Amino acid sequence: MREEYYKTLMGGAIPTGLPGGFFIYEAGGEEKVIFAETNIVKLFGCETYEEFLEYIGGSFKGMIHPDDLLKIENQIEAQTVYAEKRHDYVRYRIITKQGEVRYVEDFGHLLHWSNGKSFYYVFIVDVDKNEYLNTNSNSYAEAEALSGDRETDSLTGLFNMAYFYNKVQTLLSQPDIRRQNVSFVHFDIPNFKLYNERHGFKMGDELLIDLGRTIKEVFSSATVARFSDDHFMVFTTLPRDEVVECVEEIYKAMLLSEDVNKKIKVKAGIYFMDDQRAEVGLACDHARLACNSIKSRHDVNYCIYDDIIRDNLRRQQFVVDHIDDAIANDYIKVFYQPIVRVKTGEICGYEALVRWVDPEDGMLPPGYFIETLEHFHLIHFVDEFVVKKVCQDYRRLCDEGEALVPFSVNISRLDFEVCDVYKMLSDYCEIYDVPPSMIDVEITESAFSDNTGLIKDACKKIRDAGHEIWIDDFGSGYSSLTTLADYEFDVLKLDMVFLRSIDKNPKTRTLMSYIIKTSNEMGLSPLCEGVETKEHYQFLKDVGCERAQGYYFGKPMPLEELLDKMYNDGMQWEIVNN
């Protein structure tokens, strides 16, 4: 058989005036239409074949309603290219040259020349709108054909996760792919649930459709899927630098949307696959984890999975696997840092800080494990250990006749979700006979953004029991002065970022003076951490800050070492009436 095109000088006849007909188009590329019989031409409101080709741009793409194109091309590919059978059954809309929308059923079959070039032989039938929208199968054959819908996402028309996995695994097994770059890109919309709350689910769906279309247009030759919610995945063989360029193009396109309600910043994680024998699911996980690593960052919009992220994952796994043993074997330690009354220079408190001293790896920095424990909702185990240890140390100091000042303990926002913080404090204070006034509770300012009222109610209960409530890390993030008015608490603790920048930025002095003055006028006790020099200490005296904490007075250390240092330095403890 010769592989060539020929003009149709057919014998026989084709009935005219029928609501359907037959056409042929080339598979892949521009999907060029090379034949359409008269009924197809008329179905599109054209008079001649030449007029029809001009109207559709010579392509099968031009025959489909623009809103249906992405979904239909994906469904046809899923049913013919990567399925055991080579035929497709799909439904879509067309628009006639006169602007009329019609609903059609498409029955196609994929045929191949021996040289590898392929063609779709297709028969389409005009159906009424009701039949088009009918989801009940009329026959076993139709039910089998309609199963193609299982490969695509009903909202965006992109492939779904299951089909994406199967298709990409098949592609990776092909010899020519192994000679190409292989990349996976995960896209995510930060705080998409909040977007739905603000704009409604209809607008949220429209945003997902727009993002899916944008990703597909930019990664035009890639395999694109919507995995779930606002999570999209791309498999591409583009060169690595072009992958990054495409990601940045998508970021800019969404940020510069003409609709002000759809201007969003998308995040992306990129995984460049080196071992193409690896499992697709693992590759997708790497891209997702790279994306997740920058969700809370505002200075970057994409992250490439690398050794740093891989090491972070190993660290996370170590922490999760060993935290129980660390607590049971006393690898978790409580260190204390002194808090000083600025006016007198006397010690007025201790902050309890957690440390992990591993027998093999030595001291693990707090950032090494606290963030992981919070991420996996395990931080309450450590916080409860600290509260118990602080109460034990207070009782020991009391029994030994040492000077007593209040201890402050850090309580995570997540603690309020998984345990009864009030009961935990009350139980340990009762067991070790510790007055509630001697245990202060530090809570990071970000925790007060809780909308449920859970933390606010719990803090009131804790405060009413006699504990002081401190707002910790004020100024470290998006601080809001309304927090000072909306919540009842006793101490405002300014983050060390203030003093670190005071020598470089004169405006910081003015800002700190304003915050400390406002705090005092509201009946709050301002405390500034990060005091490292005599100049810092003098500045706090000048602006009326009540308490101070930092390396200038002492680093965090075990209680016995701290007491020895304070005695050697000639420090005094203020008298506390409890």
Side-chain angles (χ1 to χ4, degrees):
M1 169 184 164
R2 297 180 60 190
E3 296 168 348
E4 61 182 15
Y5 297 94
Y6 62 91
K7 294 184 177 180
T8 55
L9 302 173
M10 297 180 296
I14 296 177
T16 59
L18 296 176
F22 172 73
F23 65 97
I24 304 172
Y25 69 94
E26 296 177 351
E30 294 301 315
E31 299 180 343
K32 178 182 177 183
V33 173
I34 60 175
F35 173 78
E37 50 104 334
T38 302
N39 287 311
I40 294 292
V41 173
K42 297 294 184 182
L43 185 63
F44 279 80
C46 300
E47 293 299 323
T48 65
Y49 178 67
E50 290 71 23
E51 180 186 0
F52 166 71
L53 286 181
E54 181 180 359
Y55 173 62
I56 66 170
S59 169
F60 174 60
K61 298 176 187 288
M63 296 174 64
I64 304 174
H65 191 295
D67 292 343
D68 295 347
L69 178 59
L70 181 59
K71 177 180 180 179
I72 295 309
E73 288 198 311
N74 281 336
Q75 286 185 346
I76 290 174
E77 178 185 325
Q79 295 179 43
T80 58
V81 178
Y82 294 98
E84 293 181 2
K85 299 177 181 177
R86 292 291 179 258
H87 60 262
D88 68 74
Y89 170 84
V90 291
R91 291 174 174 176
Y92 51 87
R93 292 169 293 174
I94 65 172
I95 304 176
T96 68
K97 192 173 183 181
Q98 293 73 34
E100 178 188 0
V101 176
R102 292 184 175 179
Y103 300 81
V104 301
E105 290 182 320
D106 173 312
F107 305 86
H109 205 101
L110 182 61
L111 301 177
H112 306 284
W113 266 346
S114 59
N115 67 0
K117 190 171 182 62
S118 304
F119 305 87
Y120 281 100
Y121 279 55
V122 186
F123 189 83
I124 61 173
V125 179
D126 189 2
V127 297
D128 62 47
K129 182 177 180 180
N130 290 333
E131 177 57 28
Y132 171 84
L133 297 173
N134 177 25
T135 57
N136 295 320
S137 302
N138 298 322
S139 68
Y140 174 77
E142 183 179 337
E144 189 177 48
L146 279 171
S147 65
D149 287 346
R150 292 198 298 265
E151 281 83 20
T152 55
D153 169 54
S154 60
L155 178 64
T156 64
L158 298 170
F159 296 128
N160 59 32
M161 181 171 64
Y163 182 75
F164 179 91
Y165 280 178
N166 290 333
K167 175 185 174 181
V168 173
Q169 201 71 60
T170 300
L171 288 172
L172 289 175
S173 66
Q174 297 177 0
D176 59 323
I177 289 287
R178 295 176 182 171
R179 294 188 293 271
Q180 302 181 52
N181 293 294
V182 170
S183 305
F184 292 79
V185 186
H186 176 94
F187 287 95
D188 192 347
I189 303 175
N191 301 314
F192 182 63
K193 290 181 180 178
L194 182 59
Y195 183 93
N196 276 333
E197 289 180 8
R198 289 178 176 174
H199 302 284
F201 289 103
K202 183 176 184 297
M203 181 72 78
D205 286 348
E206 291 177 5
L207 178 63
L208 294 175
I209 293 170
D210 288 351
L211 177 56
R213 183 184 296 114
T214 301
I215 295 172
K216 184 59 180 176
E217 288 174 354
V218 174
F219 283 100
S220 56
S221 61
T223 301
V224 183
R226 178 191 177 208
F227 275 20
S228 63
D229 301 324
D230 56 315
H231 304 145
F232 295 81
M233 186 67 70
V234 176
F235 167 81
T236 179
T237 55
L238 288 172
R240 294 185 175 186
D241 57 341
E242 291 186 28
V243 172
V244 173
E245 290 174 3
C246 288
V247 168
E248 292 180 329
E249 183 178 346
I250 291 167
Y251 175 82
K252 293 176 183 177
M254 298 306 296
L255 189 60
L256 300 176
S257 171
E258 294 181 0
D259 188 337
V260 66
N261 291 321
K262 294 180 181 176
K263 292 180 181 291
I264 60 164
K265 296 181 179 181
V266 296
K267 298 291 186 182
I270 305 171
Y271 174 61
F272 297 127
M273 178 182 276
D274 295 319
D275 182 4
Q276 294 174 17
R277 295 168 298 179
E279 201 268 327
V280 172
L282 185 60
C284 292
D285 283 345
H286 289 342
R288 176 181 58 82
L289 290 167
C291 183
N292 289 346
S293 71
I294 58 169
K295 269 192 173 182
S296 61
R297 293 184 59 179
H298 303 279
D299 56 332
V300 292
N301 58 287
Y302 73 87
C303 176
I304 298 173
Y305 184 91
D306 57 11
D307 291 340
I308 294 176
I309 294 179
R310 185 179 294 111
D311 290 343
N312 286 339
L313 292 175
R314 289 171 180 164
R315 179 203 72 197
Q316 287 185 351
Q317 196 61 52
F318 173 84
V319 170
V320 172
D321 290 345
H322 294 85
I323 184 60
D324 290 338
D325 289 339
I327 293 175
N329 295 317
D330 288 332
Y331 302 154
I332 300 297
K333 308 289 185 181
V334 177
F335 282 22
Y336 295 93
Q337 188 173 29
I339 298 170
V340 170
R341 187 76 61 185
V342 173
K343 185 179 295 186
T344 65
E346 294 178 337
I347 298 172
C348 62
Y350 305 113
E351 180 182 7
L353 297 164
V354 65
R355 296 293 184 264
W356 186 331
V357 183
D358 188 81
E360 295 183 5
D361 298 326
M363 180 80 75
L364 305 182
Y368 187 98
F369 61 91
I370 290 178
E371 183 179 335
T372 297
L373 293 173
E374 288 184 333
H375 178 73
F376 288 94
H377 286 226
L378 299 172
I379 190 66
H380 63 285
F381 290 117
V382 169
D383 288 345
E384 181 174 356
F385 172 84
V386 171
V387 170
K388 178 181 178 181
K389 180 62 174 172
V390 166
C391 289
Q392 289 175 338
D393 285 342
Y394 173 89
R395 174 47 42 204
R396 182 166 58 84
L397 290 179
C398 184
D399 292 343
E400 293 174 356
E402 293 282 356
L404 297 173
V405 289
F407 292 78
S408 66
V409 295
N410 291 273
I411 298 296
S412 169
R413 171 183 60 84
L414 298 172
D415 292 343
F416 292 93
E417 298 178 8
V418 297
C419 65
D420 188 335
V421 176
Y422 166 77
K423 187 176 186 303
M424 175 180 69
L425 291 166
S426 299
D427 287 349
Y428 285 119
C429 283
E430 181 179 353
I431 292 171
Y432 295 101
D433 192 19
V434 180
S437 60
M438 300 301 284
I439 304 293
D440 302 328
V441 178
E442 296 193 36
I443 305 172
T444 56
E445 188 207 358
S446 59
F448 291 96
S449 61
D450 167 59
N451 295 324
T452 65
L454 173 67
I455 294 178
K456 188 173 185 178
D457 293 342
C459 285
K460 183 180 185 307
K461 198 173 180 181
I462 292 169
R463 194 165 182 264
D464 289 345
H467 302 278
E468 282 194 354
I469 298 292
W470 297 12
I471 286 188
D472 192 16
D473 296 335
F474 187 85
S476 62
Y478 290 91
S479 296
S480 172
L481 292 177
T482 59
T483 304
L484 307 185
D486 292 342
Y487 289 86
E488 294 291 332
F489 58 94
D490 304 281
V491 175
L492 180 67
K493 191 171 186 179
L494 279 68
D495 190 80
M496 64 180 64
V497 294
F498 285 108
L499 286 180
R500 283 179 176 174
S501 64
I502 198 170
D503 299 325
K504 301 177 183 178
N505 188 351
K507 293 180 180 179
T508 304
R509 291 175 174 266
T510 303
L511 179 59
M512 288 187 67
S513 299
Y514 168 75
I515 295 174
I516 290 170
K517 181 175 181 292
T518 301
S519 179
N520 281 320
E521 289 179 352
M522 295 180 67
L524 305 175
S525 176
L527 187 162
C528 188
E529 59 181 340
V531 181
E532 296 183 353
T533 66
K534 183 178 180 180
E535 288 72 25
H536 287 166
Y537 187 30
Q538 185 60 48
F539 169 73
L540 295 180
K541 286 183 179 180
D542 294 341
V543 297
C545 188
E546 285 196 13
R547 313 184 205 189
Q549 178 181 353
Y551 284 8
Y552 181 68
F553 309 109
K555 296 181 179 181
M557 58 186 71
L559 184 58
E560 291 300 328
E561 293 181 23
L562 178 64
L563 293 175
D564 289 343
K565 175 176 171 52
M566 295 299 98
Y567 283 127
N568 290 334
D569 291 348
M571 297 289 289
Q572 300 293 317
W573 285 260
E574 72 177 18
I575 299 174
V576 177
N577 296 318
N578 52 37

